[in-house]
Structure formats: structure tokens, C-alpha cells
Amino acid sequence: MSEVYAARRARLRERCHAGGSAAALVTRPANVRYLAGASPRGAALLLARHEDILLCQSPPGDQPYEGRLDEALRVQVLSQPSGGDPAVAAADLAQSQGADSLAVEEHHLTVARHRALASVAPRLRLRDLGNAVEQLRVVKDEEEISLLRIGAEIADQALGELLESILVGRTERHLALELERRLVDHGADGPAFPTSVATGPNAGRRGHRPTDRRVEEGDFLSVCLGASYRGYRCELGRTFVIGTSPADWQIQLYDLVFAAQRAGREALVPGVACRDVDRAARQVLEAAGFGEHLTPLTGHGVGLENDEDPQLSPSAMGKLDACVPVTIEPGVHIPGRGGVRIDDTLVVRPEADGGPELLTITTKELLAL
Amino acid sequence: MSEVYAARRARLRERCHAGGSAAALVTRPANVRYLAGASPRGAALLLARHEDILLCQSPPGDQPYEGRLDEALRVQVLSQPSGGDPAVAAADLAQSQGADSLAVEEHHLTVARHRALASVAPRLRLRDLGNAVEQLRVVKDEEEISLLRIGAEIADQALGELLESILVGRTERHLALELERRLVDHGADGPAFPTSVATGPNAGRRGHRPTDRRVEEGDFLSVCLGASYRGYRCELGRTFVIGTSPADWQIQLYDLVFAAQRAGREALVPGVACRDVDRAARQVLEAAGFGEHLTPLTGHGVGLENDEDPQLSPSAMGKLDACVPVTIEPGVHIPGRGGVRIDDTLVVRPEADGGPELLTITTKELLAL
């Protein structure tokens, strides 16, 4: 793996040089992990003129789900208890090595930390690295996709087991906790994001935080979960009906959201504009009169973070390349009544390779549980 | 409760005026919650000249553990899907109301967001609010302390139940998940921080992330957990021995850490210097030759965040007042062998009121399980 990380850093270095900076400082944890293999808490990665150095307050751990640090990387552990901020120490080091400018992540560094950097290294011109690392992260390699695939299998298993148990009378919070335990049972590092379980009038709300409401007969039940596997975070969302048979309005609403989600999935071809994928799903719901209640996104990228670039929204710029994993997750929530969300993680693939690769394979038939 | 929040905001406003700013913008989530009762995701609280306004992207929830928003507060929900950054909208509003300066939390705002504020409100002088809200939060009122007390009871219950089950053969990760489930069973919002379970050679490591190592006969087992109850986060840490009887070195190490922790607890009187509390605990361990392996802190404040001011460390400034809840958590970790941590949450109280109030009452005898 060491060559993979070195190659990623080389690509970033090229971009920095093109932008006029000899050195770069990466502090956002997911970006550090992408370039170094692991991101010990508070660590800062310095791409200096001659060498890359990871500065941190405590030595990197050795658990697989914390990531394995690239062994080729020089590590400098700041001495305790004084310690201090690794980013500040990195700026100091860059200046002492003769760098005249340093590109930093202004969307991650706070004003106070940025000032501390400027103060310790007054001869260093601080520039903005911008989202350079996030942009590198958008297209995944097959190793990254295989980690997402395993995470998706774990999420499918956890959800499948839950559906075999009795649900009526249990609270949203307990169901969410049980799903998270099952994720870990099946080998996840942990949940990819806080598991959402929404029942009855809560069903279909994106990012709903589980409450103490209990599952009742006749409820919609919508679940959104994901496994983090070696740092990679997939996402799976389904909606079910509790009881012997769904009501007519439930079937109609479900069919509508299913059609929207399918339209989004089918729009996933290399080169498609992000906003066109969004529109494919969104217009099905708008045509049925639900335009007002829609969430701003109908999907987003996944990887080392759950909610990363690209965004699938009406105002999104850019196109989707092959090997970009995204969620397709339209939903409708009717205040007071509940609603439906259906959410898959897929990888954009050329038609010659079989078209979009579905990672989350739990059925999307409307199950009555 | 509305008066409580209004009074807190009035105190902050006084400080801002004294610092020369007519308006203040609070963005750090725990600070928003302290002043507004709740902190919807991404919300920004503007203390303007005539009125306080909470700006957010989506309406505040209505779950008790998300906090209940002060009803006296004006709420402005930014329209979807364009939305935008509530902090930027707040700066715009402050300028349009004629404010000439705005104090912002430079330790929380990123450089990029700060620039967006400056760009939308060029006539506004942006100043640093610093840790003004964090400082207000240090001394708790009795209502806050009662929430911490309930959280501590929940943590005591969850730990007590775990100790009644069979531990040998189970992994650190499963034990941690079970503790977290029990916290929620007993009414916690959730864990106050990631539950730490450390066995054998891992035992005694502060903030150890649970691994797949299984509990074995003869192990030290150290556990650190906390309940979040209505947003308030207590902390409880204990170390046990697995098996019929502890080894001599285990008893000696346990007695040493126990003595250090007691010394720390007994140092808790109103007016004591933070560093003196740290020294009371630390010097017991140093005298026994463990000076090199100690963590930088032997305790810290708790409240709406798990790890808040004050810090109990050799370089800490300031004194402890009455009604400040802190942890006392010295520990020793011997690489390759394991170690001991003992961690209580206590509230500083005058001697006339009975001295420090212990919130976490699980026994500190060395239990062999």
C-alpha cells in the first residue's frame, strides 16, 4: 500500500507546485488518512520540499480500523506534556527548511490556529490549498471500492437480521442501537454515521435522529444505516410497512419514491452532469406534487467520509466520472403522516462494464413486516 | 428555563460591550446550546443590538436530548434548498441592523467561513469573542449539576449491570457496545464520549479505543464510560481484575493509583489552584517512579462537552470555584503489561456543604470478577 499513498502525495505535490507553493500542510483528518494511511488525532501532514512528515501528539495506533500508517512516512511525535499543535510545529519546520510559502486547508483550520501558524512562521506566505485533497479523493481506485463493497455487505447483513426479529413495540433508539451492534458483529469498524430509524410520522425524514417512539401496526418504518469498513463509509436506506398489508396511500407513495430512485440510478453513466442525476430523481417527485418537501440533495459521494463530494443537487456543478461511488436517496416526507426514503450506494461504471454497480443489495420491494 | 437562557445571554452581552463590540455571533454548538437551549445543526446565534436571533438551516427538533429551544428566542430558518451558512446570514443581518463590529468565535470559525463573513458584511469590524462563552460555562447552576447527577447514576447502573455478566472471552468492542446500549436503556441521550474498554496490556490507557482483544483470566480490565443526559456529560472510570485473585503487582499498582486519585479528590476545595489538584494526584505516582508514563491531564471539567475547562495539569492556570464539576482520573499504563485508571466526576463544594460531591458512586475497591 505504501506506493499508493506515495502516489497520492505526489499528485497533490504536483498541484501545489502548479499553484505556486513548494510546501503543503494537510490537517483535515480524512485528507490526512487518504494521504498517509492513518490520521492519529490532531495529526498534521507536511509535504515539504524534500520529505513528507506526519506530525502528531501521540504515536499512531495499530488497529486496522484506525488505518495503517504508510511505513515510508517519517513520523514526528511532539513531546508530552507540553505537546502543542502539530500544525503549528509543521509550519515552524517548513520555515526552518527554507520554504517561502505553505498551502493550508483554510476550510478546515480555524482562524485562531491559522494565526498561530502565521505567528510561529512569519516568513512563510500562507496560501489556501482549497479542496485539492477532496478533489483527489472523488475518483476511487479498485481497492477503495472493494472496501466500500465489504461495508455494504455488512450493512445488508445487519439490516436483514433486524427484519427477522419482532419490531412492533420497540423504540427507534433501540432498533438503531441493535443495528449498530450488528454492524460491529459483522466486522465493521463501527457505524458510518449515526444510524437513523424513523417510524410512523417520522418515517422518511432524512437524517432523523431516533426517538423513544415505538413501532406500531400500520407504520411506515424507514431505516438508514452504513458500515465503516477500514475507514470507508457506505450508506443503505430502506422503508418498510409494519403489519399485514400496507394502505393504498402507502403503496402509492412507495411506488413513487421507488420510481424516482430508479430514475436516479439509471442516470448514473460516466460523464453525466451531477445536476442531471439529481433532476432525474427529483422530477418524478415534483411531477407528483411533492416539490416543496424535498431535501436539497438526492445523493452524494461516499468514501472516507459519509457525505463527501460530489453532491447531487439542482445547483451542483461538474460531472460524474467512472469509479465514483455515490448514494441515490430520494425521499418524501409528509408532515404528520410519515414518508418513504430509498437509499443505495452505487459506483459509476461504463455501460461496457455492466453499468452502475449496486453495492447495497437489500431488496427494494415494499416489505410488510 | 427561558429566564435562565436570557440571563446567560445578558451576561455574555455585558462582556461584549465591555470588549467594545455591540454584537456577538456564537457558532460553537455547545455554546449555542448553552445560550439558546438547543443547537440545531449548523445554527448560529446572533446577539444583536435589540434582539437575539437563532439562524439555522432547518427548524429545531423537538427531542429532549437535542435540547429545548428557548421559546423567547426569535428563530430564522434559512430557506431550502439554497440555504447557505447561518453564520454568514447572521453577519449580513448584523450589518443591515447598523452594527459596526461583531465578535466571533475565532477558535471555532474556519478561515474560509471567516472570510465569507467579512465578504458579505464588509462594513462590519470582525473581532474575536475568544472563549467568553466557555468561561461562562465553567461554574454550573444547580439545574445543570442535577442533570450531571442523573447522568452519573445512569453510568453507575450501566457499569454495575455489566459487572454481573460473564466477561471472560468477550471482546473489548462488544463490552463497549453493551455498555452504550445499557446507557440508553437507562435513559441516557447516548454515550457522553466513545466508551473505552481496555483489557490486559491495553488496560489503563487513557482514551483507549476498544479492539477485538478478548478478556482473559488474570487481565486488568479498565472501563471508562459516561452518559449524556439532556446534553450534560459525566465520566466514570474503573479498573478491575479478571479471575479469582489479583497478582501482587496488580494489587500494588491498584493501591498506588487509588491513593493518587484520593489525593486528587481531597484537594478539591473552592479556591484551590487547578495545578495544585493535578500535583496532589501526580506526585503520588511520580514518587513511585511512574513520572514518565503519565498523561498530561489528571482531570478536566465536564458539562455540555466531555472535555471542557478547567484542565487539571501541571501548566494549568486559574482556580476552581464552588459548583465546578471536574473529573479526577489519574492512571498508570505500563507498556506491555497494562495498568490502572480510576476516574470520578465530582463537584467542588465548600467544606460547610460537606466538601466535594461525588457523582459517580461505583465502588473503588479492587474487584476480582
Side-chain angles (χ1 to χ4, degrees):
Chain A
M1 278 300 284
S2 189
E3 314 81 60
V4 172
Y5 300 119
R8 291 173 182 173
R9 295 195 299 270
R11 289 169 65 199
L12 180 63
R13 184 174 266 118
E14 269 171 41
R15 291 208 181 194
C16 288
H17 283 219
S21 281
L25 179 62
V26 179
T27 49
R28 196 172 174 199
N31 290 346
V32 173
R33 182 161 183 171
Y34 183 74
L35 298 168
S39 59
R41 195 174 157 186
L45 176 66
L46 177 66
L47 306 194
R49 192 177 300 190
H50 304 295
E51 190 184 22
D52 301 335
I53 306 167
L54 185 82
L55 297 101
C56 45
Q57 289 183 315
S58 51
D62 55 359
Q63 292 303 316
Y65 44 88
E66 291 175 0
R68 294 213 187 271
L69 197 70
D70 176 5
E71 288 171 7
L73 204 56
R74 185 177 141 204
V75 176
Q76 185 172 324
V77 179
L78 305 185
S79 61
Q80 294 283 14
S82 57
D85 183 341
V88 173
D92 192 17
L93 184 61
Q95 177 176 276
S96 72
Q97 290 186 348
D100 57 356
S101 73
L102 180 68
V104 302
E105 298 191 291
E106 294 191 349
H107 60 300
H108 179 256
L109 281 184
T110 65
V111 176
R113 287 180 86 191
H114 192 269
R115 184 178 302 125
L117 262 65
S119 158
V120 78
R123 295 193 305 281
L124 216 49
R125 235 179 13 262
L126 297 181
R127 301 180 168 210
D128 187 10
L129 182 58
N131 291 306
V133 187
E134 285 85 350
Q135 285 162 21
L136 291 180
R137 285 167 46 198
V138 168
V139 175
K140 271 69 177 176
D141 63 33
E142 290 301 326
E143 170 72 15
E144 293 180 283
I145 292 172
S146 75
L147 298 178
L148 284 168
R149 197 180 290 121
I150 295 170
E153 282 173 16
I154 292 172
D156 281 322
Q157 283 178 305
L159 181 58
E161 289 172 0
L162 187 79
L163 299 185
E164 289 170 13
S165 64
I166 290 174
L167 300 172
V168 171
R170 297 170 72 191
T171 70
E172 293 174 354
R173 291 219 277 174
H174 275 99
L175 293 175
L177 281 166
E178 174 158 344
L179 282 167
E180 295 188 353
R181 184 178 63 75
R182 290 186 185 277
L183 291 172
V184 173
D185 278 346
H186 288 293
D189 316 336
F193 50 86
T195 299
S196 179
V197 174
T199 61
N202 300 326
R205 284 178 60 194
R206 181 169 194 254
H208 172 73
R209 285 186 58 175
T211 72
D212 291 324
R213 188 182 184 284
R214 291 176 193 279
V215 176
E216 294 175 14
E217 287 281 331
D219 275 356
F220 264 137
L221 168 70
S222 61
V223 173
C224 186
L225 77 162
S228 171
Y229 185 76
R230 309 231 167 144
Y232 281 79
R233 295 160 191 265
C234 65
E235 190 172 318
L236 163 65
R238 292 290 184 270
T239 300
F240 310 99
V241 164
I242 304 299
T244 45
S245 64
D248 286 348
W249 74 274
Q250 290 178 317
I251 295 173
Q252 284 161 18
L253 192 61
Y254 191 90
D255 287 348
L256 177 72
V257 174
F258 178 84
Q261 206 255 356
R262 186 177 55 197
R265 282 186 278 124
E266 290 175 352
L268 287 178
V269 292
V272 67
C274 293
R275 65 173 59 164
D276 289 343
V277 179
D278 175 76
R279 189 167 56 215
R282 189 177 295 272
Q283 69 187 5
V284 174
L285 304 178
E286 284 175 346
F290 291 107
E292 274 180 42
H293 298 297
L294 304 185
T295 49
L297 298 179
T298 53
H300 55 78
V302 295
L304 285 169
E305 290 176 294
N306 169 252
D307 197 350
E308 59 180 53
D309 289 334
Q311 299 206 319
L312 305 182
S313 73
S315 59
M317 304 297 286
K319 294 173 186 293
L320 288 178
D321 288 313
C323 298
V324 175
V326 294
T327 66
I328 299 289
E329 48 170 315
V332 169
H333 176 255
I334 306 172
R337 292 190 84 184
V340 176
R341 294 195 79 77
I342 304 174
D343 185 352
D344 280 314
T345 302
L346 305 99
V347 183
V348 179
R349 301 280 194 191
E351 205 175 347
D353 293 351
E357 178 187 352
L358 181 68
L359 300 188
T360 44
I361 61 168
T362 296
T363 182
K364 289 187 280 283
E365 279 181 86
L366 175 55
L367 299 183
L369 303 171
Chain B
M1 278 300 284
S2 189
E3 315 80 61
V4 172
Y5 300 120
R8 291 174 182 172
R9 295 196 299 270
R11 289 170 65 199
L12 180 62
R13 183 173 266 117
E14 271 171 38
R15 290 208 182 193
C16 288
H17 284 220
S21 282
L25 179 62
V26 179
T27 48
R28 195 173 174 198
N31 290 345
V32 172
R33 182 162 183 169
Y34 183 73
L35 298 169
S39 60
R41 194 174 158 188
L45 176 66
L46 176 66
L47 306 194
R49 193 179 297 189
H50 305 295
E51 191 183 22
D52 300 336
I53 304 169
L54 185 81
L55 297 101
C56 45
Q57 288 182 314
S58 51
D62 55 358
Q63 291 303 317
Y65 46 88
E66 291 175 0
R68 294 214 186 270
L69 197 72
D70 177 3
E71 289 170 8
L73 204 55
R74 185 176 139 204
V75 176
Q76 185 172 324
V77 179
L78 306 184
S79 61
Q80 293 284 14
S82 58
D85 183 341
V88 173
D92 192 18
L93 184 61
Q95 177 176 276
S96 71
Q97 290 186 347
D100 58 355
S101 74
L102 180 67
V104 302
E105 296 190 293
E106 293 190 350
H107 60 300
H108 179 256
L109 282 183
T110 65
V111 176
R113 287 180 85 190
H114 192 269
R115 184 178 304 124
L117 263 64
S119 157
V120 79
R123 296 193 305 280
L124 216 50
R125 235 179 12 261
L126 296 180
R127 302 181 167 211
D128 188 10
L129 182 59
N131 291 305
V133 187
E134 284 86 348
Q135 285 163 19
L136 292 179
R137 284 167 45 196
V138 169
V139 175
K140 270 71 176 176
D141 64 33
E142 289 301 326
E143 169 71 13
E144 294 179 282
I145 291 172
S146 75
L147 297 178
L148 284 168
R149 197 180 290 121
I150 295 170
E153 282 173 16
I154 292 172
D156 280 323
Q157 283 178 306
L159 182 57
E161 289 171 1
L162 187 80
L163 299 185
E164 288 169 14
S165 63
I166 290 175
L167 301 172
V168 170
R170 298 169 71 190
T171 70
E172 294 174 354
R173 289 218 277 172
H174 276 99
L175 293 175
L177 282 167
E178 174 158 342
L179 283 168
E180 294 188 354
R181 185 179 61 76
R182 290 184 185 279
L183 290 173
V184 174
D185 278 345
H186 288 293
D189 315 335
F193 51 87
T195 299
S196 180
V197 174
T199 62
N202 300 326
R205 285 178 60 193
R206 179 167 196 257
H208 172 74
R209 283 186 61 177
T211 73
D212 291 324
R213 189 183 182 283
R214 291 176 193 278
V215 177
E216 295 175 13
E217 287 280 332
D219 275 355
F220 264 137
L221 168 70
S222 61
V223 173
C224 187
L225 77 161
S228 171
Y229 186 76
R230 309 229 165 147
Y232 281 79
R233 294 159 192 266
C234 65
E235 188 173 320
L236 161 67
R238 293 290 184 269
T239 300
F240 311 98
V241 164
I242 304 298
T244 45
S245 63
D248 287 348
W249 75 274
Q250 291 178 316
I251 295 173
Q252 284 161 19
L253 192 61
Y254 191 91
D255 287 348
L256 177 72
V257 174
F258 179 84
Q261 206 256 358
R262 186 176 56 196
R265 282 186 278 123
E266 291 175 351
L268 286 179
V269 292
V272 67
C274 293
R275 65 173 58 167
D276 289 346
V277 179
D278 175 75
R279 189 166 57 217
R282 189 177 294 271
Q283 70 187 2
V284 174
L285 304 177
E286 284 175 345
F290 291 107
E292 274 180 43
H293 298 296
L294 304 184
T295 50
L297 297 178
T298 54
H300 55 78
V302 294
L304 285 169
E305 291 175 294
N306 170 251
D307 197 349
E308 60 179 53
D309 289 334
Q311 299 206 319
L312 305 182
S313 72
S315 59
M317 304 296 287
K319 295 172 186 290
L320 288 178
D321 288 314
C323 299
V324 175
V326 293
T327 66
I328 299 288
E329 49 172 314
V332 168
H333 176 254
I334 306 172
R337 293 191 83 184
V340 176
R341 296 194 77 80
I342 304 174
D343 185 351
D344 280 315
T345 301
L346 305 99
V347 182
V348 179
R349 301 281 194 188
E351 205 174 348
D353 294 349
E357 178 186 354
L358 182 68
L359 300 188
T360 43
I361 61 169
T362 296
T363 182
K364 288 186 281 284
E365 278 181 88
L366 176 54
L367 299 183
L369 304 172

